[in-house]
Amino acid sequence: MREEMNQAKPSAKAWIAFLCRWGLPLAAAAQLWFDPSNGFATAILWGAGLYALWQGRQTWAAWKNPVGLFFGLGVLWAALSVAWSFHPAGSARDLAKSAPLALAVLVVPTVFDRPGRIWAALVASAGLITVKLAADLVRLCVVLGWPTVLTEARYFHPYLYTHPNVSSMMAGLCALVFAARWLAGAPGAGRRVLLALGLAVDLVYLVVLASRGPQVVFALAALAFPIVLLPGWRSRLAALALAALAGWVLWQAAGQVNPRFRDRTMRNWNNRDTVWAHAKMLADKRPVLGYGFGKKTFVKAVYENPKERAPLVPVRYPHAHQYWLMLYFQGGAIGFALWSLGWLALGARLARGLARAGRTVRDDWRERLRARVLPALLATALAFVLVYGVGDFPDHVIRHAQFLLAGLAVAWSGWFMREGAA
């Protein structure tokens, strides 16, 4: 009897294997998502990047495509920009800070090389981030109370990340992941309950923080997701019509959901239009090469430029407050073209995969739909960040999410071309 009990207990070897398989990766992911700028997170990114270089053949195979070409040339152009940067020391420092993330992204398609692992990365990341968001909600409610939290949470320091827009964007991304995983057929009632709970926390966080940009772009992403997901032009046309109607209703109700949509800053974009115009004016003076990589170079060129007076705005913006304008400002037309072509190439790969996903189960519409959920989620989540970049700069943890999603999109498309399309 005692021997049977001893055999039923997990051995030390089994515990170590479990820890290596689940414990350490989750601890590393928690470091990356809880505080991506700390030393531990940087060390983890460096380790992942060095592993990618060690697995050179697999890494090369994963990125040997137009996406890898354009992104690689974009990184090279950013590194070369130190030579003509308006602030060479600042560009060099920002490049050094960005290097761990750039290297770590290389390893993503080699580790998360099949749909199950991609889902695990997405759901685990969304779960960890949502735990952090839930803790922040509790903090805000305890300190501010109800209903003050609805009007003051956005202005209450310290912020969870660097800005309410950043944490709200992460809430929107997590909500998309949880909803998509449910649609993909999450096994077990317990998992579905957890997904629903995570989705509810993320939606509540979006309402409480009242960040208008993330709310608008999340609504657009949520309305666009069925259009991307559904197969067949008739179903997409119906989804488009419903999305247009729902979007109109949401916009009419926006002022009731979030009074900040009635604020006077809706007319002047909170002085962003002044920053955009000034940054564009400066960038047009260096249209080919740009001013050099990094936010430090932007600050130097905009606020400490002896030839141009700084824009008259009450806030000192550390970037162009627009992703696409920042690409042009940093790298000129060449840098802008390289990164834009990289995102277009990635979108084209996902679109090709989506067009073919589920064809082998054409007779079962449920399975066909589920086969399309993952690429539709990756496409929508990336569009969510890039469209947000039209009015703001995806910085800090959003940038980590943006490039993790890019790596996962490359991973899924590579897997689909090898096996999924068979």
Side-chain angles (χ1 to χ4, degrees), residues 228-249:
V228 178
L229 173 63
L230 292 171
W233 68 269
R234 291 183 181 85
S235 58
R236 291 191 197 121
L237 186 61
L240 177 61
L242 290 174
L245 177 60
W248 181 82
V249 172

Side-chain angles (χ1 to χ4, degrees), residues 83-95:
W84 58 80
S85 173
F86 189 85
H87 183 28
S91 288
R93 184 175 177 181
D94 282 345
L95 279 166

